[in-house]
Amino acid sequence: MSKVNRREFLKVLGVGTGTVSAAFLGASPALAGDWRTGGVEQGDASDPTLEPWQVIDMEHEEKVNAYIENIGTDDIFWDRPIEYTMDGDVKVFDLTVTKGEWETESGNPRPAYMYNGMVPGPTLHATEGERVRIVVHNEMDESTAIHWHGIDLPNDQDGVTYINQPPILPGETFTYEFDLINYGSHMYHSHHNSLAQVVGGLLGAFIVAPADTRDEPIYDKDYVFALNDSFLGFTINGRSFPYTQPLTATVGERIRVRFMNEGLMSHPMHLHGMPMRVFAKDGYNLPAPYMCDTLNVAPGERYDVIIEARAAGLWAFHCHILSHVENAQGMFGMVTVLAVSPAEEATEE
Amino acid sequence: MSKVNRREFLKVLGVGTGTVSAAFLGASPALAGDWRTGGVEQGDASDPTLEPWQVIDMEHEEKVNAYIENIGTDDIFWDRPIEYTMDGDVKVFDLTVTKGEWETESGNPRPAYMYNGMVPGPTLHATEGERVRIVVHNEMDESTAIHWHGIDLPNDQDGVTYINQPPILPGETFTYEFDLINYGSHMYHSHHNSLAQVVGGLLGAFIVAPADTRDEPIYDKDYVFALNDSFLGFTINGRSFPYTQPLTATVGERIRVRFMNEGLMSHPMHLHGMPMRVFAKDGYNLPAPYMCDTLNVAPGERYDVIIEARAAGLWAFHCHILSHVENAQGMFGMVTVLAVSPAEEATEE
Amino acid sequence: MSKVNRREFLKVLGVGTGTVSAAFLGASPALAGDWRTGGVEQGDASDPTLEPWQVIDMEHEEKVNAYIENIGTDDIFWDRPIEYTMDGDVKVFDLTVTKGEWETESGNPRPAYMYNGMVPGPTLHATEGERVRIVVHNEMDESTAIHWHGIDLPNDQDGVTYINQPPILPGETFTYEFDLINYGSHMYHSHHNSLAQVVGGLLGAFIVAPADTRDEPIYDKDYVFALNDSFLGFTINGRSFPYTQPLTATVGERIRVRFMNEGLMSHPMHLHGMPMRVFAKDGYNLPAPYMCDTLNVAPGERYDVIIEARAAGLWAFHCHILSHVENAQGMFGMVTVLAVSPAEEATEE
C-alpha cells in the first residue's frame, strides 16, 4: 500500500517538480545542501590530517547522504508482496521457507532464514470472517512450524511443535487453514528452534482487516513497521539505516503505523516533531487512545498509531535506545525518517 | 486455590474419563501423540548417525514430553500454603528465612534463599481492613528484612534496612504488624542486600482481597504468576520449563492471572489463542481495562488479567523474549501452558 | 521550585524544631537512630574479625548515613537554574557546551559532557504560546547539535545533524528559535554522536507550562526526575545514591513528579508506601489516568504523576531493577527518598 520510490520521494520533497518552495527547502536542509560547507570538506575520512571530530562529522554526514541516495531503491521495504489464489471462499497463500543470505545492510550479506526469500516474510492481508489456507513448503535442512501470533484459531493450527503439531520436516509441506475471527495487526513466525529461526528471519506481518470498518480510524497511508534485533542487527522491516526507507505524507494527511516487535529487546520508538495517537494494542482497539511521541514496543507486542502530518520536512523516527541507532560512525540500525511535503497551497507560488 | 494435580489435568484433557472427544484430541496433538512418527524415532539424541536437525527435534520433543510427564507432580506450584493463627482480630503468619537449595529444574539444585523452605515463599492471603502480624525468624547467617511491596502501611513497617528499621540479625525474630488499607495483588521480598536475596529467592505474593467485592470481576479460577530471572534461571513460580505446571480451564470459564515480576528484566508474557483483559495494575483497578495477547511486566510491577477460555487445547503461555524460553535444545525457562478442556456439551457424545 | 536544603529537610523531619513527635520518630528510625545498636558496632568495615554479614550490614548502614549526611548539600539537584533575558516577546536562554568532569558520586569525578557546567543541564521553563530563543555556544573540541525532544517546531529547528541542520562546529554559536505550540514535560539533548554525548551528559529538561491551566492537576510541589545510566552510572538528576536528594512533602500535600529517561535502559521506578497517579505521558494528558506504585520509564519517555503524601516518614523511591540500586556494599545508583513530615495538627503537642 505504501510503496515508496525515489520519484515519489523527490516529489514529496518538492525537488524536480518545479514547485520547490523556499520555505520547504529551508525546512529540509538535508536536501537544500547549502549548509554543507562548515568546517568539513567532502572528502576522505581516512585523511590523516583530519581531527578526530572531523572524522566523526564526515562519517555522520556520509550515513545521511547514503540514506538519501538509497531512497527508492527498495521496492519491498514497506509492502512485501505475496500472490494468493482463491479456492472457493478460501484465500490460499504459499510460503516457502529457506536458508540463505539477507542484506540488512546492502553489500553485507548475513546468514538468514527466509519466507519467500525475504526478511521479514511477505505481509499477509485478509479480512475478518475470511477463511485462509497457508501452504508451507520447508526447503531448509532443518524442521520448522509457524505460529500465527495474535490470531484466535483452532488449537491444532497454533504452530508450537510437539504442543500443537509435529514439526514440518526438511522437504515437507504442511497446510494451515483457519477462519479469521479476530481482526488486527498480527504476526506470524516460527515456533520451532525459535531463538535461531525467528530472530534469524522467520517472521512476518499478518494484517486482518475488520469486517465492519466503522471502528477504524480514517487515514491516508498504512505502514507495517516491524522491529528485529540481535543476529541480523537492529532493523526496521529487515533493513538497517542507511538502508531503511522513509515514510511519506503531505501536511494534513494522516498515516497509520503498525509497530510490531519480533526481536529480543524492547524498542522505544520516537517520532520527531509531532505526536502519535496510539489506538490499538495487539490488534485490539484501546478504550482510551492516548498521545505520545515515544512508544515502547516490547517483543511480541503490536501497536497501531495514527500520525497527523503536522509540518513539512524530514522528521527523524528511531528507537530511543541510543546504542541501537548511533555511534561515533554516525547513525545505524533502527532509524528512518518521516518525510512530510508541504500541502498544495503552500507550494503554489 | 488453583492446585493442579495430574488426575485433574487428565480430566481437563478428557483422558481416562471415558469422555475423550475426537475433536479435542485433534485439537491437542501433544496428547493424541499419533503424529509423533515423522522423521524422528524416539531414541537417543547422542546417536552419532543423527543429523543435527534431528537432534534439535528430538530434544524439543523430549522437553515437551517431560513437561507432560511432570504435570501434577508439584502441589505447591500454584498454591503455596501457609498456616495462620488468629490473635483476637489479628491474623498471624510465621515466616522462617533460611539458606539452602532450590530446584528450579528437578534434579538440579541451586543455592537459594527461602521463606518457609520455598521459592517463591508462601502466598499470604488477607482482606482489606484486616490487621496482620508477620513474625519473621531469621535462621540465616546473614541479616535481612522484609518490604511489603505495594502495601500502604506505617513507615516503620516498610522494611528498608537503616531507613525504616534495623536489619533482622542472624538468629533474631522480628515482628511486623499493620492494618491492610489498600487491597490488590501485592508482593513481599527482602529489602536488605536485595540483589542477592530477592533474586536469590526471598520473594512472595501478598494477596489482599477487597472488603467490598463489587468492583471485582467474576472469575472461576485464580492464579498467581510470579516471574524471576538471573541467579535462579528464568522461572515462573520458582520453576523452569519443563518443570512448570499448566493453568487449567473449561471452555467458557474465566480465569484470573496475577502477574508479578521479582526479577531484573522485563518479561512480555504472551498467551496463545485468546486475549487477556488487563483490569488492574499494581493492585489498582484500571479506569479503562484493555485487551492484549502480550503483556510486558517490568520488575516490581503487577498486572491482573482475566482470560476467557475460548477454545479447547493446549495453549502455549510464555515470555516472548525468545532467549528466555527456547534454544536449540528446546523450550526452557518461562514457558507453561493454558490447558482448556471442552465444555460439557461438547463432550456429551 | 523544589530546592531542598538541609534545614528544610530537618524541619520536614521535625528535628531541631522543638516539635518532634514521638510518633514521627517511631516512623523514621533512620533519624531516631536508637535501634542502631544491634549486633554491629559502628566501626571499621575492614576489621578482620568481622563476619562477612557484619561487613555487609555496616556498609549498608554507611550508605544510608552518608545519604542523610549529604542532604541539603546540593542546591541544584531539584532545580537547575538558568538565567534568561527577554528580547521583545522572545525569551532568550544561553547554553554553553563543554567537556569536563562531573561527580555523580562526590569525590569521584568522571569525564562528562555538560550544558552550562551541569549534568543534566539547566531546566528550561517557558509557557505554551511563548517564543523562545536558545543560543548554543559550542566550547568543545567536537561538533554537536540540540534536539528539543517532544517539542513541535519547524523542521530546521529539530536538531538532527545532516537531516535538519549542519553540526555546530567547535567554537561556533548556533541559535535556535521557535514558538512553543505544545505544552508538557519535554527534554533537550544532543542529536550528534549521541551515544557518547547524551549518555555522557548532554541532556536536560524543557518544561512547557500550558497557557490554559484548567486541565492541570493541583499540586504543592513540582519535581523533575531525570534518569540516566551507562557511562555516568545509574543516576537521578545526574547523581547516584548516596549523593541524591530527597523529595519532601507534608502529610496531605500533593507533589508532581516529572519522570524522564535519557539513558539506554528502561527503569521501573517504585515508590514505597503510597501510590502514584499517572496523568500524562510525553507531555500529553492521559484520557484515563491510572494508579500505580511502579512506573516503567523507557528511554525517551516522560511521565507526569501526582503523589498524595499519605503518611509520615522516609519512603524509599528507587528503580526496581535491583542491579541498578543495591549490591552487597549497600544501596547505590537510582535511589532516593520521599520524606513526608507529619501534618501540623500531628505535631501540636
Side-chain angles (χ1 to χ4, degrees), chain C residues 105 234 240-242 322-327 330-335:
Chain C
E105 301 170 300
F234 295 102
S240 295
F241 189 91
L322 300 177
S323 46
H324 302 180
V325 294
E326 188 169 78
N327 60 18
M331 292 194 287
F332 68 90
M334 293 175 159
V335 181

Side-chain angles (χ1 to χ4, degrees), chain A residues 114-148:
Chain A
M114 290 176 279
Y115 291 125
N116 292 5
M118 307 174 205
V119 178
T123 299
L124 308 184
H125 286 278
T127 300
E128 180 192 4
E130 221 172 357
R131 187 171 182 83
V132 293
R133 181 184 305 149
I134 304 106
V135 185
V136 180
H137 311 276
N138 180 5
E139 299 190 353
M140 305 191 294
D141 59 357
E142 58 183 276
S143 299
T144 193
I146 300 184
H147 169 56
W148 314 96

Side-chain angles (χ1 to χ4, degrees), chain A residues 74-140:
Chain A
D74 184 352
D75 280 351
I76 65 168
F77 186 85
W78 288 121
D79 193 19
R80 315 184 83 75
I82 185 170
E83 304 289 318
Y84 65 88
T85 57
M86 296 301 298
D87 178 9
D89 289 339
V90 184
K91 197 172 202 172
V92 183
F93 298 95
D94 279 79
L95 289 176
T96 300
V97 197
T98 58
K99 290 163 86 167
E101 290 186 326
W102 179 255
E103 296 190 0
T104 61
E105 301 172 300
S106 296
N108 182 16
R110 301 187 194 213
Y113 296 85
M114 290 176 279
Y115 291 125
N116 292 5
M118 307 174 205
V119 178
T123 299
L124 308 184
H125 286 278
T127 300
E128 180 192 4
E130 221 172 357
R131 187 171 182 83
V132 293
R133 181 184 305 149
I134 304 106
V135 185
V136 180
H137 311 276
N138 180 5
E139 299 190 353
M140 305 191 294

Side-chain angles (χ1 to χ4, degrees), chain A residues 4-17 19-20 24 31 68 71 248 341:
Chain A
V4 175
N5 60 39
R6 187 165 181 81
R7 187 170 174 183
E8 179 191 13
F9 178 73
L10 293 177
K11 182 174 163 224
V12 162
L13 292 174
V15 175
T17 63
T19 61
V20 182
F24 180 67
L31 276 290
I68 291 171
I71 288 171
T248 59
S341 65

Side-chain angles (χ1 to χ4, degrees), chain B residues 208-232:
Chain B
V208 183
D212 180 343
T213 59
R214 287 175 295 180
D215 286 336
E216 288 279 282
I218 307 292
Y219 51 88
D220 299 292
K221 283 177 176 159
D222 188 351
Y223 292 94
V224 172
F225 201 111
L227 305 167
N228 194 11
D229 51 50
S230 305
F231 311 138
L232 293 174

